[in-house]
Amino acid sequence: MKDNKFEPKILGIFCNWCTYLAADLAGVSRMDYPSNIRIVRTMCSGRVDPQFVLWGFKNGADGILIGGCHPGDCHYIEGNYKTLRRYLILKRILREMGINEKRLRLEWISASEGEKLQRVVREFTEEIRNLGPISEDRAFKLQLAEHKK
Amino acid sequence: MDKIKGNGEIRVGVYICHCGTNIAGRVNIKEVVEFASKLPYVVVSREYKYMCSDPGQELIKNDIKELKLNRIVVASCSPHLHEHTFRKACEDAGLNPFNFQMANIREHVSWVTKESKEATEKAKAMVRAAVYRVVFHESLERKSQEINPNVLVIGGGIAGISASLVVADSGKKVYLVEREPSIGGHMAKFDKTFPTLDCASCILTPKMTQVKDHPNIELFTYSEIEEVDGYVGNFKVKIRKRARYVDVEKCVGCYACIEACVYKEGKFPDEFNEGLSKRKPIYIPFPQAVPLAAVIDPATCIQFLSGKCKRSCQQACERGAIDFDMRDEIVEVQVGAIIVATGFKTFDPSRIPQYGYGRYQNVYKSIEIERLVNSSGPTGGEVILRDGRKPQSVGIIHCVGSRDKNYNIWCSRVCCMYSLKLAHLIKERTHAEVYCFYIDMRTPGKGYEEFYHKLMEEGVHFIRGKVAEVTDWAITPEEEGKLVIRVEDTLIGVVRRIPVDMVVLAVGLEPQPDADEIRRLLNISCSKEGWFLERHPKLAPVSTFTDGVFIAGACQGPKDIPDTVAQAEAAAAEALSLIDRKKIELEPNTAWIDEEKCSGCHICIGLCPYSAISYNEERKIAVINEALCKGCGVCVAACPSKAAQQRLFLDDQIYAEIEGALL
Amino acid sequence: MAEKAKVAFYWCASCGGCEEAVVDLAEDILQVVDKAEIVFWPVAMDFKREDVESLKDEEILVTFINGAVRTSEQEEMVRLLRKKSKILIAFGSCAYTGGVPGLANSYSREEILSFYYKDGDTVFNPDNKRPTPHFIEGNFAFEIPEFYERVYAVDQVVDVDYYIPGCAPTRKVVKNSIDALFSSQIPPKGSVLGASSRSLCSECPLNETKPEKIYLKSFKRIDKSQPESDKCLLIQGYPCLGPVTRGGCEALCVKANYPCTGCFGPVDGVKDYGAKAISFLSSIIDSIDEKEIEKIIDEGLSNPLAIVYRYSLPKSLIFDTKIKKNGG
Amino acid sequence: MRENRKYFYYPGCSLKGTSLAYEKSLLAVFKYLGFEAPELPDWNCCGATSYMSIDEMSAFSLAVRNLAIAEKEKRDIVAPCSACYMVLNKAKKYVEEYEGVKDVIFKGLEKIGLKEHFKGDVKVRHPLDIFINEIGIENIKAKIKRKLNGVRVFSYYGCLLVRPFTDFDNPRYPTMLDNLVSATGAETIESALKTKCCGGSLTGTLENVGLRLSYLILKEAKRKGAHLIVTVCPLCQFNLEAYQDRMEKIFHDKLGIPVIFFTQILGVAFEIDGKELGFNHSLIYPDILYQKALV
Amino acid sequence: MEHKITIDPITRLEGHGKIEIFLDEKGNVEKAFLVVPELRGFEIFVKGKPAEDMPIITPRICGVCPTAHHMASTKALDDLYKTQPPSPAKKLREMLYNMFMLEDHALHVYVLGGPDFIVGPKAKKSERNVLGVIQKVGLEVGKKVISMRREIRELMTLLAGKVIHPAWGVPGGVTRGIKKDEKENFVKVAEKGVEFALFTLKVFKDIVLSNKEYVDLILSDAYTHRTYYMGLVDENKKLNFYDGKIRVVDPDGKEYALFDVRNYRDHIAEHVENWTYIKFPFLKKVGWKGFVDGKDSGVYSVAPLARLNACDGISTPKAQEAYEEFYKNLGGKPVHHTLANHWARVVEMIYAAERFLELAKDPEITSDNIRKIPTETPTVGIGVVEAPRGTLIHHYETNEKGYITKANLIVATQNNSARISMSIDKAARNLIKEGKYDEGILNMIEMAFRAYDPCHACGTHSLPGNIPVLINIRNKDGKIIETIKNFE
């Protein structure tokens, strides 16, 4: 990838009915966006267990983007609201642990919003690029402190 | 990656698809194949031009047989496109289809990545994710479900009518639901249809009668969808039959009640005539209405307003069809498939104040002109201004509300053609000078361009330019008393002021204002403009992402009558082919409870949107009714003791996939 | 005297509660003494490190380690004991999941030292002294171990065979574990001994007071409210961690009308106790409005980490990493 | 969140000079309606006029200083002059949207110690907006003592008020002024010219062009039988009123149409004394408003 | 040549401690140090946590006296939320607290420190343990001790959730009261407790006080330090473990200070050394003069002896008797002999038991009025109790929502850390001469040390019966040239 610039690893966990399809649409419409994002699919964003997010960070994700249907549009009626609740608490946990909460982002992107997907992925990738590698976050510094010696 | 236990020997085959140049053009396939071959448990890693082609599938089948593969990964397009194709291939080769995982390296990689190097890296990651995941896959049984053979059609315009007839003719039961008192939709309002200029009612009316008489069609007019429950093959639909205060069965459409109404003549704007004429509180929408039955508008009927009416209408009706105590009624029907044909609405031109609609009485909407030129319309087909004068000059402004980012960005597709039609009819009826103001003439379609030429020969003036404003501000004496159309004529490059007697605004098409409610009821998606979204613009134009729900006509996007009918019959065919399968197999991605783990903490129970989870008092644990489970996994994510789990989306599978993806 | 099984005890960063727990075996402790010969118990007996080193590898049958690892000395001892023991057991929350001292992982070593020896309210340290490993003053050379940047659970330092949960493990749990160890068939490696395989609700006397479905409009804090007795604390709005916490403690705290604080850790299969805890807590919040949800969290759970990671921060996925050999 | 906001009145140069009548009538009407808007302390030029075309940054800096002063007191701004209204809003928008502009401006604000007070929270509003959306037509109707029935009014908006930054009215065919005027009982005239350029900006440089534009508007008013023109903009008011004699000569047409501020006609309906309303500054006195017939 | 003696491990204060003894050229003690090699940082990591969680978190500082931390913390919350528990709740707390003091002291007397005297300092080490005690006083007694402790701890569990670590205290009260039908059992155990405590005093007198040798030992200079003494006293300046004002008496026994714990910062400061993680509290106004005793040195002492020195008597009759007898025999107040702690501890046992009984009988004890729910906005809260091992202070500050912004703790044993070091130093000097060490020194140093019953001096002593001590004598190169140990 682009040299001498930090290229973050980004994990996308997208719901099958909206955001994953938006990504398909972006593809069909050839809307290019940074290749940093790796997309994993769940049926509903409500399936996203906060453990997945921590697991993602632990496995080297510098940023994680959760994508679900717009409020009221959930294919499963209100799975996305549960996602929202978990997300709001999870951000606080990250903050306390010493991980920049900006590294986790929740977006409502419907099946028709290819552009929005493109825009969000671009923004998010840039934002994370500016934040730098997650290993620089306090939590990981502490975690790896003994290893560094 | 985590050790896996008790899964026996794992043998993974990986297949990378070129998709012609779609993938190969961006992704270095060789490199990815090479990379995949080194991943854990991978026995073979191949590439092929088109994996979805027969030879491509054969490749997989043979390897399964010869190399004893028990896990398959195909890296190609979106699973929404071909997951089912490849699962089938596995099945044919005797491998349980759920030991398959797809990596989306086209929509999510080659098509959205500029740099080949980056694309290749990303493709590797996606493949690794799929391999890591598939290792944790296990054989699953599909549950299959009876399909209810009935079909629901929402919307009684030309689309709904055509679809209903096709389905009904095949011997299947159809429930046709129309919100207005009569079916027919917009088309019923037209006089002629372009380009052939054959009479709209002559071709529509017979179809409407067929619907009425068809033994397999149950018609619900003046009705709306209240609630849709269930899923493909087994929808439960609640229909609200709004009270029309006239019993359709008894009414013969003799107009006696209407004549008897205490209002001597019409007093309220007639919806069907776009308010160009007046109707009484009790009325029949139009002469060819189906059903041909009166309806009472409670908003204007004295009986409903004051309760003190002579009810002369009631007395006038020999068949006693009128019933003021009629109430809305909810009917529940069960269907296997749903066709949505809810149509469009026309753009409201008063949103563009500089065109003067609503301020200048001689500025009309095109749909109003449709009524004016219609022989059964308010003026019996005569084109006259509100003050009774015949216009000597008429300006038709195209693209009103269309192709304009201030209003609607899209082209409404029909305006150019219907403007031409109206130009022709107006000229024919009034011999007035007709000016068409257009941005571009768009006449794609059989005989359309020819029609355009015909009009030019007829001497209609075509001025290329977007109209700036319509004003009564007269500068010169000859402008006095007229409407002046200010426009830059881009062909001669000057700003022109053209005084006319009548201005026709060729308004565009918009999604129905309540399209969003329908969308939510049916769990389908809309494009951001609000048109219903098809599953695939080319390959699945009438399907939606919700199995068993199909779309037809202008609710999917602006289109003319020929296209609408074509699409409607296509939707009907899709619905029929679904129904004739008799059974459908459900994705086995349901959740279940591990009884050894569940502590009966009750957390999951309230979270299930389908009430599929309940508490078992004896065993003191939660249990999931898998027939009701739709597989969202919300309970799984919430379960504090990992007792709730979801097939095809086990924690371990997702952990592995995440780990793999973060290459 | 017949060959008794050799047993060793060692403590790291812990409070001594775990030793107390052993003493609380009271009469039962004598059984243990019959079965086992204690070869190392710094608290109790002075076999020195050299003595342990002189043992054959795996000569010790079982070593019980309580407390988390925070200093170089603790790390070295744990490694040594691992080498000398057939079975190594992480005893109690600190050894198992890092425990309360593990909460320090959201702060740096420097923050701790400077408060303790500099900024603390009562500290009087004009010449700015600081405990220093390998400190030499005149001809006095002192050896104090290095204080690590973070806290490690024992299995982040060495391989652990079994875990005994609890802060501290209750008498019953300790007894069950010991029985399990000396029983005919040894439980599979990695098992958690002595406790239940289900979460606490399964043995909680108040579980039956729950309604079918649980939704919460708010989280209560016990500082300004008093829990009703004999009614599930969760449905009262207290973030009781029973649902996500391994049972086996007989719901002692709940019986004292106090919400479960989660000292027994997660049940099998849960990778991250805290994450799972917030997942279930947030799921039952009864609101779909972002502002309202934020408000609910602010009022009852504004520092969720403090609640859900009381005993397991070092084992949170983020911190769950093995220390490099001789990390210090 | 913004409930019961307080306001500052930002006069700008016009209301202190050529358009004293506007200031007098505005303040009189505010007073009558019990609407409080003290003058913005230590205000400076809004940055309109030549500044905007010569050195945009300086113009923005001038504008934003005023905004910052207001925001410091947690008050919004009422700007009666269309030019001020437009420029203040424009400056705010640019600072919001363009980092570049923001940086420069904030450096400036820092120097004068206003930086920390300015978050862009302040709103710039036109009295017309205030009358319609804060005080409300109904309340105004209720306070009217003298119905102006029979007066035909051409309510003229000018080019600056409604575009491009206005959110309280339709930029292409505004109607709020008409609604307000008709509240007095006067009859308003539909005209496509209500937002056409008054020629003001040209009269100084290309007199014949400028005057022609002004003339077209006056002519339209006359043609539609308006007794007088009511406007919201000091520049329009001045241009349409001051040069009528010259236009009469050039276009051989009899004009003499009074051009007054909307606050003046409101004042009349409220029976506020003519002096307080600044009619003594009128070049063409709107007798019609005081004809007995109306009473 | 320089010698370094390492005695490791002694016992645990926040981890285990070790003693470093440095010898000069002649082989005489140049200096002996107590080194505490561990630290956990509670004050820092409780930051941001909800205040009401402190009674849960802070007991994890010490699993031997969790109840002390739990109670100090809970009282700090009362202060923080500006509320006072209703009288029944206050009584419940004080009862639980005295139950705890009783069983904890019992543990020390019979299992930790006791053997030194009951079996005898010169007795074979193999006998100097609980089993030896049992031989000497009879199996019955041994059983009694064990079961007494168990019964009390079971009742504590019933009331406060867990005995290690309690989950019970909340600002303005407690979460659980005593049900009517449970009361009787408390009274029964309490009566046993009193009887047991008196019995213990008898045993102590029979065996220790009747033995001149022991008494001399207690009175010997090796174990004497003239320091200040600190303890909690009630409004009548009588001994109290749960509540009251902090009183400090000077080496002459005169009241030096009597203050509300809220002002502890005016009186207590902590000295820091480079060679140990523990801090050394001292009397701020007197000042830190190093590890020396006397009126001019801020070094002070806490725990049983200090408490008796610091109070003017005891409110319960039998304990008061014992108290008077104690001073009569030891030559009046104040007593400076470290080993007198053992006797003082027995006196305190009687008080704890009597108080336990009083409260168990109290009609209010079964009331369900156990909580006054706070309404005030929390700001600063400071709480104190007398832990078995001394004055224990918890100090929290929070934001208006009750989340900790600052915490400061003065842990019981810490108060003694300076005097303990001095004792060790003195013992070492007295007992190591010209590089000669007799095995006895190990025992002596042990006794000096154990007398304080340093926090975490764990019950686990009961198995081997003594604190094992080993001395390595190394030369410059760290080579061991001689080793002495007190076990086979």
Side-chain angles (χ1 to χ4, degrees), chain B residues 155-162 176-190 200-201 203-205 207-209 211 219 221 272 285-286 288-291 341 343-344 561 564:
Chain B
I158 182 59
I161 290 171
S162 314
L176 175 55
V177 178
E178 167 60 47
R179 156 179 24 209
E180 300 298 328
S182 166
I183 57 171
H186 283 95
M187 185 175 176
K189 298 181 175 184
F190 304 160
S201 48
I203 52 179
L204 179 62
T205 317
K207 279 186 169 285
M208 288 165 67
T209 356
V211 167
L219 183 56
T221 51
F272 188 75
F286 57 100
Q288 305 80 6
V290 167
F344 64 93
I561 293 165
T564 298

Side-chain angles (χ1 to χ4, degrees), chain B residues 351 353-354 359-360 406-407 469 471-475 480 486, chain D residues 170 172-173 190-193 196 212 216-217 219-220 223-224:
Chain B
R351 284 171 60 196
Q354 64 269 36
R359 278 192 293 127
Y360 305 129
N406 298 312
Y407 307 101
E469 71 171 340
T471 173
D472 64 349
W473 178 43
I475 295 181
E480 288 296 340
R486 275 182 65 236
Chain D
N170 183 312
R172 290 179 181 278
Y173 200 87
E190 279 296 335
S191 172
L193 275 66
K196 287 279 180 304
R212 184 172 170 281
L216 289 175
I217 287 157
K219 179 163 165 244
E220 168 79 353
R223 188 174 73 98
K224 295 243 166 130

Side-chain angles (χ1 to χ4, degrees), chain E residues 62-136:
Chain E
C62 171
V64 180
C65 50
T67 315
H69 284 280
H70 185 73
M71 209 56 83
S73 183
T74 306
K75 287 182 68 195
L77 292 189
D78 293 342
D79 186 35
L80 179 68
Y81 285 90
K82 309 175 184 62
T83 176
Q84 277 305 319
S87 141
K90 190 173 175 305
K91 286 173 178 165
L92 279 165
R93 286 190 194 167
E94 187 175 354
M95 181 177 79
L96 182 86
Y97 200 66
N98 280 284
M99 292 165 76
F100 158 67
M101 289 297 275
L102 175 56
E103 60 96 0
D104 192 90
H105 275 358
L107 178 75
H108 185 274
V109 169
Y110 282 95
V111 184
L112 312 186
D116 296 345
F117 289 93
I118 295 171
V119 187
K122 292 274 162 64
K124 287 234 300 310
K125 283 144 200 78
S126 55
E127 294 166 9
R128 208 177 330 104
N129 59 31
V130 66
L131 304 171
V133 173
I134 291 171
Q135 278 174 19
K136 186 105 173 213

Side-chain angles (χ1 to χ4, degrees), chain C residues 13 15 24 27 43-46 116-117 121-122 124 132 145 167 221-226 256 303 310, chain E residues 43 48 52-53 60 63 81 150 153 162 174-175 265 270 274 277 279 371 376 401 406 460 468 487:
Chain C
C15 66
D24 274 352
E27 291 88 343
V43 152
M45 311 167 56
D46 190 36
Y116 251 68
Y117 301 112
D121 269 40
T122 39
F124 176 79
T132 323
C167 182
R221 283 175 55 186
I222 203 162
D223 61 343
K224 288 192 174 179
S225 67
Q226 177 79 342
N303 180 356
R310 270 192 199 93
Chain E
E43 281 103 327
E52 66 270 25
D53 221 34
R60 270 73 184 182
Y81 285 90
R150 202 192 63 241
R153 282 171 81 92
K162 292 184 293 163
V174 293
T175 55
R265 281 169 294 184
E270 297 168 297
N274 309 66
Y277 281 109
K279 293 182 283 188
R371 180 87 190 270
E376 297 285 315
K401 284 179 157 183
K406 193 172 83 179
T460 46
F487 49 88

Side-chain angles (χ1 to χ4, degrees), chain B residues 211-278:
Chain B
V211 167
K212 182 178 85 232
D213 304 336
H214 207 298
N216 294 339
I217 300 182
E218 187 171 341
L219 183 56
F220 296 85
T221 51
Y222 213 54
S223 305
E224 294 182 59
I225 304 299
E226 187 83 359
E227 185 182 314
V228 178
D229 196 8
Y231 47 93
V232 55
N234 302 274
F235 294 103
K236 280 187 209 55
V237 183
K238 287 207 178 81
I239 301 168
R240 171 180 295 274
K241 290 180 72 173
R242 283 160 53 211
R244 71 192 281 160
Y245 307 105
V246 174
D247 183 334
V248 178
E249 301 312 313
K250 295 189 184 145
C251 179
V252 291
C254 65
Y255 284 79
C257 53
I258 299 171
E259 278 135 26
C261 177
V262 291
Y263 283 102
K264 282 296 146 264
E265 73 281 336
K267 189 162 181 302
F268 310 102
D270 178 333
E271 295 83 358
F272 188 75
N273 280 336
E274 298 292 329
L276 292 170
S277 67
K278 305 261 188 263

Side-chain angles (χ1 to χ4, degrees), chain D residues 215-230:
Chain D
Y215 171 64
L216 289 175
I217 287 157
L218 291 161
K219 179 163 165 244
E220 168 79 353
K222 191 175 158 198
R223 188 174 73 98
K224 295 243 166 130
H227 295 119
L228 47 80
I229 297 176
V230 165

Side-chain angles (χ1 to χ4, degrees), chain B residues 23-290:
Chain B
I23 297 173
R26 204 40 66 77
V27 174
N28 180 335
I29 304 280
K30 291 263 169 305
E31 218 180 302
V32 179
V33 173
E34 171 64 15
F35 169 84
S37 65
K38 295 192 171 58
L39 292 172
Y41 303 101
V42 172
V43 176
V44 59
S45 164
R46 300 185 196 280
E47 60 186 290
Y48 191 71
K49 238 176 172 14
Y50 291 98
M51 281 311 298
C52 55
S53 66
D54 290 352
Q57 299 185 43
E58 278 313 310
L59 215 56
I60 299 177
K61 294 180 192 168
N62 295 336
D63 287 356
I64 291 176
K65 297 199 187 83
E66 277 146 36
L67 303 173
K68 312 247 168 312
L69 300 181
N70 52 19
R71 299 286 192 288
I72 301 297
V73 168
V74 173
S76 55
C77 48
S78 167
H80 282 278
L81 226 52
H82 276 306
E83 183 170 56
H84 131 101
T85 314
F86 295 116
R87 278 182 178 172
K88 182 86 174 45
C90 299
E91 207 162 12
D92 296 348
L95 176 62
N96 180 292
F98 299 100
N99 291 311
F100 167 81
Q101 175 68 11
M102 206 161 166
N104 183 345
I105 61 168
R106 191 179 73 173
E107 284 81 350
H108 291 189
V109 180
S110 65
W111 279 351
V112 292
T113 313
K114 283 210 181 109
E115 298 290 323
S116 163
K117 198 163 167 306
E118 294 180 14
T120 309
E121 285 311 303
K122 187 173 177 182
K124 286 182 190 169
M126 303 305 260
V127 169
R128 189 171 84 150
V131 171
Y132 278 26
R133 188 189 209 277
V134 82
V135 165
F136 288 87
H137 279 214
E138 50 196 18
S139 302
L140 297 171
E141 285 315 310
R142 279 210 190 84
K143 298 200 177 35
S144 74
Q145 191 86 39
E146 294 286 336
I147 296 185
N148 180 311
N150 307 339
V151 176
L152 171 74
V153 178
I154 308 173
I158 182 59
I161 290 171
S162 314
S164 304
L165 289 171
V166 172
V167 175
D169 289 344
S170 77
K172 302 287 190 302
K173 173 90 179 168
V174 175
Y175 301 100
L176 175 55
V177 178
E178 167 60 47
R179 156 179 24 209
E180 300 298 328
S182 166
I183 57 171
H186 283 95
M187 185 175 176
K189 298 181 175 184
F190 304 160
D191 179 44
K192 300 274 191 295
T193 58
F194 60 78
T196 48
L197 294 177
D198 44 358
C199 137
S201 48
C202 314
I203 52 179
L204 179 62
T205 317
K207 279 186 169 285
M208 288 165 67
T209 356
Q210 277 182 52
V211 167
K212 182 178 85 232
D213 304 336
H214 207 298
N216 294 339
I217 300 182
E218 187 171 341
L219 183 56
F220 296 85
T221 51
Y222 213 54
S223 305
E224 294 182 59
I225 304 299
E226 187 83 359
E227 185 182 314
V228 178
D229 196 8
Y231 47 93
V232 55
N234 302 274
F235 294 103
K236 280 187 209 55
V237 183
K238 287 207 178 81
I239 301 168
R240 171 180 295 274
K241 290 180 72 173
R242 283 160 53 211
R244 71 192 281 160
Y245 307 105
V246 174
D247 183 334
V248 178
E249 301 312 313
K250 295 189 184 145
C251 179
V252 291
C254 65
Y255 284 79
C257 53
I258 299 171
E259 278 135 26
C261 177
V262 291
Y263 283 102
K264 282 296 146 264
E265 73 281 336
K267 189 162 181 302
F268 310 102
D270 178 333
E271 295 83 358
F272 188 75
N273 280 336
E274 298 292 329
L276 292 170
S277 67
K278 305 261 188 263
R279 61 156 174 81
K280 299 180 177 179
I282 185 165
Y283 64 101
I284 293 174
F286 57 100
Q288 305 80 6
V290 167

